Amino acid sequence: GQGAEIALVTRPGFDPIVDALTADQAAVAEALLTGKTLAHAAETGDLGPVLGHLLQRQALVKGPDQ
């Protein structure tokens, strides 16, 4: 049977891109995308690869109060 997969869907330049994530990578992405600190995200898993994907895909932006 097929197991569930975790995907990160981003739209840099409005063109959807889908990246497969491991459960650990998904936890890091969720932490970052919900406003947690880099330190908190790093505690959930390997920050480097996920942060690289998010920056490359323009998925992280400044909030309205920053």
Side-chain angles (χ1 to χ4, degrees):
Q2 294 181 348
E5 293 187 25
I6 302 169
L8 172 68
V9 179
T10 53
R11 294 183 54 187
F14 302 106
D15 295 324
I17 298 174
V18 180
D19 292 297
L21 299 178
T22 66
D24 287 342
Q25 291 171 335
V28 172
E30 181 178 10
L32 291 172
L33 295 172
T34 58
K36 301 292 191 279
T37 64
L38 287 174
H40 177 85
E43 290 175 2
T44 64
D46 188 5
L47 178 64
V50 177
L51 185 57
H53 269 309
L54 294 174
L55 290 172
Q56 183 180 30
R57 305 290 192 242
Q58 302 171 8
L60 298 176
V61 296
K62 286 173 55 172
D65 60 340
Q66 298 175 341

